[in-house]
């Protein structure tokens, strides 16, 4: 449903775009897209420019997913199965593959393997385990925050069913949802930046 909403919004907002004399809607959309890309670019830096469109899309998708509870529906980010997909693509594929390829290209295979022994050979097992721990911890952090907000809102709806839930919904479902989407993309961007710069 969320993907359909994004596709429909994209088709509607990009219809009748012009190079000369753009309308107000087009100017607003271009401004929003540029601001979003600059936000992500500020996180990941120019070295990770190729990941800016991907991370921008993840930010939009997670933002909409997290605020979906405002409409009385279960946010997909409350489901670990959905988050495992983000973990897989955002970190396992993007970060690990880029880290492997860039590191191997710059340092050859021997130098890449030697990188696991830095700063000390004693922590080599931890450096290897970190390849799986980072994506898992990022996924669990997002799941915990969204699930926690969902539980708090359900408790408030049962305790004070009239006005209070609507006020807290603005924070837990809207502001916190957008904040968690940003934090997920921010941390993913930092991990990718670190991988690219190695």
């Amino acid at each position: 449903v969320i993907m359909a909403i994004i596709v429909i919004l994209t088709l509607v907002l990009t219809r009748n775009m012009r190079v000369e004399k753009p309308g107000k809607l087009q100017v607003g959309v271009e401004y929003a897209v540029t601001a979003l890309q600059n936000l992500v670019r500020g996180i990941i830096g120019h070295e990770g420019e190729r990941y800016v469109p991907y991370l921008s899309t993840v930010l939009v998708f997670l933002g909409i997913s997290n605020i979906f509870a405002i409409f009385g529906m279960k946010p997909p980010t409350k489901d670990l199965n959905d988050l495992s997909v983000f973990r897989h693509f955002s970190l396992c594929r993007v970060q690990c593959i880029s880290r492997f390829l860039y590191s191997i290209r710059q340092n050859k295979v021997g130098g890449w393997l030697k990188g696991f022994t830095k700063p000390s050979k004693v922590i080599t097992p931890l450096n290897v385990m970190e390849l799986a721990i980072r994506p898992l911890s990022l996924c669990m952090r997002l799941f915990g925050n969204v699930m926690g907000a969902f539980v708090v809102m359900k408790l408030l709806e049962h305790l004070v069913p009239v006005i209070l839930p609507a006020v807290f919904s603005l924070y837990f479902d809207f502001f916190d949802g957008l904040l968690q989407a940003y934090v997920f993309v921010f941390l993913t961007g930092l991990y990718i930046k670190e991988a690219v710069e190695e």
Side-chain angles (χ1 to χ4, degrees):
V1 171
I2 293 169
M3 289 174 72
I5 290 169
I6 293 172
V7 169
I8 291 167
L9 276 173
T10 305
L11 292 174
V12 169
L13 295 174
T14 59
R15 196 178 52 183
N16 299 327
M17 293 190 113
R18 295 185 297 251
V19 176
E20 296 179 5
K21 297 180 181 177
K24 290 180 181 178
L25 178 64
Q26 180 178 338
V27 171
V29 169
E30 288 177 2
Y31 177 79
V33 169
T34 304
L36 182 66
Q37 289 182 336
N38 287 338
L39 178 73
V40 173
R41 197 173 283 115
I43 297 168
I44 200 166
H46 292 290
E47 300 85 2
E49 184 71 31
R50 68 170 63 180
Y51 300 111
V52 169
Y54 170 73
L55 289 175
S56 300
T57 305
V58 169
L59 183 57
V60 170
F61 185 83
L62 282 179
I64 293 174
S65 297
N66 288 348
I67 64 173
F68 217 53
I70 288 176
F71 307 107
M73 303 177 87
K74 184 181 92 169
T77 43
K78 194 176 87 61
D79 187 351
L80 273 174
N81 294 316
D82 291 339
L83 290 176
S84 65
V85 173
F86 282 109
R87 181 194 70 193
H88 176 70
F89 281 106
S90 290
L91 291 172
C92 292
R93 286 191 134 181
V94 176
Q95 182 207 358
C96 294
I97 289 173
S98 23
R99 174 175 281 183
F100 296 159
L101 294 180
Y102 280 105
S103 232
I104 289 171
R105 189 182 305 156
Q106 288 177 353
N107 308 316
K108 307 296 183 222
V109 175
W112 171 68
L113 290 173
K114 196 178 284 186
F116 286 106
T117 63
K118 294 178 182 176
S120 169
K121 291 181 179 178
V122 177
I123 62 167
T124 300
L126 294 176
N127 287 337
V128 173
M129 285 171 50
E130 184 185 32
L131 294 175
I133 291 170
R134 268 189 179 178
L136 183 62
S137 67
L138 190 59
C139 169
M140 295 303 290
R141 193 202 62 75
L142 180 61
F143 168 75
N145 282 313
V146 173
M147 182 66 166
F150 186 79
V151 168
V152 168
M153 282 308 302
K154 288 299 175 190
L155 287 172
L156 282 173
E157 286 172 12
H158 286 298
L159 292 174
V160 188
V162 184
I163 297 170
L164 201 58
V167 175
F168 278 93
S169 178
L170 286 174
Y171 175 77
F172 286 114
D173 292 336
F174 192 77
F175 176 74
D176 188 54
L178 294 177
L179 180 66
Q180 295 310 322
Y182 173 75
V183 171
F184 183 92
V185 170
F186 178 78
L187 293 174
T188 304
L190 287 183
Y191 295 156
I192 294 172
K193 183 178 182 181
E194 180 186 315
V196 167
E197 288 177 347
E198 276 187 358

